[in-house]
Amino acid sequence: MAATVEELYRNYGVLADAKEDLSKHKDAYQVILDGVKGGPKEKRLAAQFIPKFFSSFPELADAAINAQLDLCEDEDVSIRRQAIKELPRFASGENLPRVADILTQLLQTDDSAEFSQVNTALISIFKIDAKGTLGGLFSQILQGEDVVRERAIKFLSTKLKTMPDDTMTKEVEDYIFIETKKVLEDVTGEEFVLLMRILSGLKNMQTVSGRQQLVELVVEQAFLEQALNPTDADSVDRLLQCTRQALPLFSKNVHSTRFVTYFCEFVLPSLSLLTSPVAELDIQLEVCIFVGSEMSPYCGDMDKLEVNLNMLFEKLLEFMPLPPEEENGENAANEEPKLQFSYVECLLFSFHQLGKKLPDFLIDKISAEKLKDFKIRLQYFARGLQVYIRQLRVALQGKTGDALKTEENKIKVVALKITNNINVLIKDLFHNPPSYKSTVTLSWKPVQKTEAAAIGQKRQSVEDIGATATTKKLPTNLPRRNARQIYNPPSGKYSASIGNFSYEQRGGFRGGRGRGFGGRGNRSRGRIY
């Protein structure tokens, strides 16, 4: 039988006055529990009174929690919010994981105020017992409904970084790593990105060994032990997303060797066959950027260095045309080959980086005829570069500050960076023997502060553009590697006339389509309080 408002207040008074003798008034507490069977007023009072005396009646703990849960599912949103607000008061001892599990399931609400209340309650009990709360969260991530799983993962990805250090202990972080590895056995693309974000933010993952562990997780997801099917958009998408997650982890101590090897062996040979997972994505250029930017500088010792370097060399030749034949004038009317600067910058940089590991490659590892052919291509490309560089400098001459920030001039500035970079690298390869000492800042990457300082404190002008290409060693006090920005690569092929550049800033890859990441399927099972 439902209790009335008067009965609820009367029995509340009995319990409030009992003080140390609370346990003798079990019947009074039972009346309060029965309040959940009443009308809206009775339910609101019950939502407040039940948790207040919960700890004094351990024998009625299950009944009390179940009564509060009934209120958490009430049709009246104001009653639900009140009941959810009070849930953390039940989170003590062995009850805490259960309350965490319940709150995690309540994340599926579509009411924004209620959702915020659930988040607040979860954060509250997290600070009481982080590991116990994580147990409830991961239980639902592994076994709950898809909407609950999705929101629980997003909760962790956004809230963990706000937790105080005394809450995020080593034991807690180790537990997060172990449980996240279990989740990674079956994830969608979006989930994979979020989970890697969670792990990358842990303090114990900031060490060299921690970063190496993260790379190992990405390697498992990327299926680097299998050959790539270039026409399968799912497989290509998986590789791209995994590579993106691995890029910020690489350093001089955490090597990119397995990724570079895989791209050289399975991706570059099939470059023209790759099926893009996104219609507007220039997949071939994206692959060249991956190999050339974040990976090749951090490649360690490679088992098949000569073979892989040769593959990179052959791919570079495809984008470096021979000069047009002009004998007898038979090709005089033909269109001159287009110079695809964006591709060449990436591939030439990669070749330059890996070439350091085998400096006699161009001398002893290829035939004299092929070397001659390569130098002819380099020479032709270098001549074209000089034309573009002169035209770009004229177009940008005298422009400083805001004048360089117009869309048209931004395009020309990037083009000038690309051409300057290629020019520096070509000069290195024309040395006898070829040199691999020059360093360049790739066109889509921000200029490091130390390099900018070398230019001076004056406002940047066209004379400064490309000045970051240098034959000197890089300063040792560069920003920390974990502060390295992920590039926003150029997608244009600067192959037309100076007034017809095609340049567009692209964002990241699509995420979370579930393609190629295990296809989790629907696990909806209903609430399991």
Side-chain angles (χ1 to χ4, degrees):
M1 182 177 176
T4 64
V5 170
E6 291 75 15
E7 288 174 325
L8 288 172
Y9 273 120
R10 184 170 61 252
N11 285 280
Y12 175 85
V14 170
L15 295 174
D17 294 337
K19 298 182 180 179
E20 289 84 7
D21 298 325
L22 270 172
S23 58
K24 296 178 181 179
H25 300 282
K26 182 177 176 181
D27 291 343
Y29 191 59
Q30 184 62 59
V31 171
I32 289 176
L33 296 182
D34 291 338
V36 303
K37 302 172 185 176
K41 292 181 180 179
E42 289 80 9
K43 289 178 180 179
R44 289 191 186 92
L45 287 175
Q48 299 174 59
F49 294 169
I50 292 172
K52 185 173 181 64
F53 302 106
F54 169 73
S55 60
S56 298
F57 299 97
E59 69 276 19
L60 293 176
D62 284 343
I65 293 175
N66 288 332
Q68 195 77 4
L69 294 182
D70 287 341
L71 298 175
C72 289
E73 293 186 305
D74 195 82
E75 293 180 358
D76 188 328
V77 66
S78 65
I79 293 173
R80 294 202 304 269
R81 291 175 192 168
Q82 181 64 47
I84 292 169
K85 180 181 178 181
E86 302 291 345
L87 268 181
R89 300 179 70 172
F90 295 86
S92 59
E94 61 184 18
N95 293 318
L96 188 140
R98 183 183 177 190
V99 173
D101 190 282
I102 293 164
L103 284 169
T104 304
Q105 293 181 63
L106 291 172
L107 286 170
Q108 64 187 291
T109 179
D110 292 323
D111 180 87
S112 58
E114 187 177 348
F115 182 78
S116 177
Q117 191 71 63
V118 174
N119 274 265
T120 300
L122 273 171
I123 292 171
S124 174
I125 67 170
F126 199 103
K127 293 176 180 178
I128 297 171
D129 182 353
K131 194 172 178 181
T133 306
L134 286 166
L137 283 158
F138 277 108
S139 172
Q140 286 301 313
I141 290 172
L142 289 166
Q143 303 175 49
E145 299 179 40
D146 283 351
V147 65
V148 174
R149 173 186 171 101
E150 175 189 340
R151 294 184 181 183
I153 291 175
K154 287 183 178 177
F155 173 87
L156 290 174
S157 71
T158 57
K159 304 302 182 185
L160 284 183
K161 58 189 177 187
T162 68
M163 295 298 173
D165 289 344
D166 58 350
T167 299
M168 296 294 291
T169 62
K170 182 180 184 304
E171 181 184 7
V172 169
E173 291 197 343
D174 288 344
Y175 182 77
I176 292 171
F177 184 78
I178 292 169
E179 294 301 306
T180 301
K181 284 185 68 175
K182 296 177 185 176
V183 181
L184 283 170
E185 293 175 6
D186 182 13
V187 290
T188 66
E190 182 181 15
E191 289 172 346
F192 173 65
V193 172
L194 290 175
L195 291 167
M196 288 302 299
R197 184 182 301 166
I198 291 168
L199 294 180
S200 298
L202 300 179
K203 294 191 298 293
N204 59 7
M205 291 292 109
Q206 306 309 310
T207 62
V208 171
S209 61
R211 296 279 171 175
Q212 189 61 55
Q213 287 183 75
L214 293 180
V215 170
E216 296 296 335
L217 288 180
V218 179
V219 167
E220 290 177 13
Q221 290 292 319
F223 289 176
L224 297 188
E225 73 283 357
Q226 299 179 12
L228 179 70
N229 179 358
T231 61
D232 178 21
D234 289 351
S235 298
V236 174
D237 187 41
R238 173 191 287 270
L239 179 63
L240 293 182
Q241 292 205 55
C242 288
T243 305
R244 273 195 174 276
Q245 295 307 306
L247 294 182
L249 303 173
F250 297 139
S251 68
K252 63 180 181 179
N253 295 314
V254 181
H255 294 156
S256 59
T257 312
R258 276 181 288 183
F259 279 89
V260 175
T261 298
Y262 189 85
F263 272 78
C264 288
E265 290 184 1
F266 297 109
V267 184
L268 288 180
S270 306
L271 194 61
S272 62
L273 301 176
L274 291 176
T275 301
S276 174
V278 184
E280 65 273 14
L281 180 67
D282 185 342
I283 186 70
Q284 295 187 49
L285 180 57
E286 200 76 11
V287 166
C288 293
I289 287 170
F290 277 161
V291 177
S293 62
E294 301 288 346
M295 295 204 294
S296 59
Y298 302 113
C299 184
D301 295 335
M302 190 181 288
D303 292 338
K304 301 177 182 177
L305 176 58
E306 183 178 340
V307 173
N308 293 329
L309 192 56
N310 190 64
M311 171 50 63
L312 192 55
F313 177 73
E314 294 294 337
K315 190 56 60 177
L316 175 61
L317 292 181
E318 292 180 20
F319 291 94
M320 300 196 72
L322 285 165
E325 297 179 12
E326 297 180 356
E327 293 181 10
N328 303 321
E330 59 186 59
N331 289 327
N334 290 353
E335 182 181 350
E336 288 194 3
K338 290 184 177 180
L339 307 182
Q340 300 190 66
F341 295 130
S342 295
Y343 285 96
V344 172
E345 181 192 21
C346 298
L347 292 170
L348 193 59
F349 180 81
S350 302
F351 180 79
H352 192 270
Q353 291 293 311
L354 296 186
K356 295 176 183 178
K357 301 178 180 299
L358 191 63
D360 62 347
F361 177 80
L362 292 175
I363 302 171
D364 298 330
K365 306 302 182 182
I366 61 173
S367 65
E369 182 180 349
K370 182 164 282 192
L371 178 60
K372 180 181 178 182
D373 172 83
F374 181 50
K375 288 196 171 183
I376 290 173
R377 293 171 189 266
L378 285 177
Q379 195 169 41
Y380 174 67
F381 210 97
R383 287 204 307 270
L385 278 176
Q386 298 308 315
V387 173
Y388 279 108
I389 290 173
R390 281 197 300 272
Q391 290 178 325
L392 286 165
R393 287 190 178 278
V394 169
L396 294 170
Q397 187 67 40
K399 292 182 173 62
T400 60
D402 292 340
L404 291 174
K405 295 178 181 178
T406 66
E407 208 55 43
E408 180 182 356
N409 286 334
K410 280 182 181 178
I411 293 170
K412 292 175 181 177
V413 166
V414 173
L416 186 54
K417 288 180 181 179
I418 291 177
T419 49
N420 271 315
N421 285 343
I422 298 173
N423 194 41
V424 169
L425 297 174
I426 286 179
K427 284 181 179 179
D428 252 18
L429 297 181
F430 260 120
H431 284 154
N432 189 17
S435 171
Y436 300 94
K437 294 181 180 179
S438 295
T439 59
V440 297
T441 298
L442 292 164
S443 59
W444 61 87
K445 304 189 75 173
V447 176
Q448 303 288 7
K449 290 182 180 179
T450 47
E451 296 173 1
I455 295 174
Q457 298 301 317
K458 60 186 174 69
R459 300 172 78 182
Q460 191 181 41
S461 66
V462 63
E463 286 77 15
D464 303 325
I465 306 297
T468 55
T470 174
T471 56
K472 297 180 180 179
K473 291 185 178 179
L474 281 174
T476 57
N477 59 333
L478 290 176
R480 291 180 296 111
R481 183 198 52 73
N482 59 9
R484 189 165 67 235
Q485 297 182 18
I486 295 298
Y487 53 80
N488 197 0
S491 62
K493 306 183 188 77
Y494 302 101
S495 55
S497 65
I498 200 70
N500 192 29
F501 287 116
S502 172
Y503 177 80
E504 177 185 355
Q505 290 283 6
R506 283 203 313 276
F509 293 110
R510 286 187 301 174
R513 296 165 301 113
R515 301 181 62 183
F517 280 76
R520 294 184 56 250
N522 192 336
R523 299 185 179 186
S524 299
R525 302 174 299 107
R527 294 188 178 182
I528 55 168
Y529 300 141

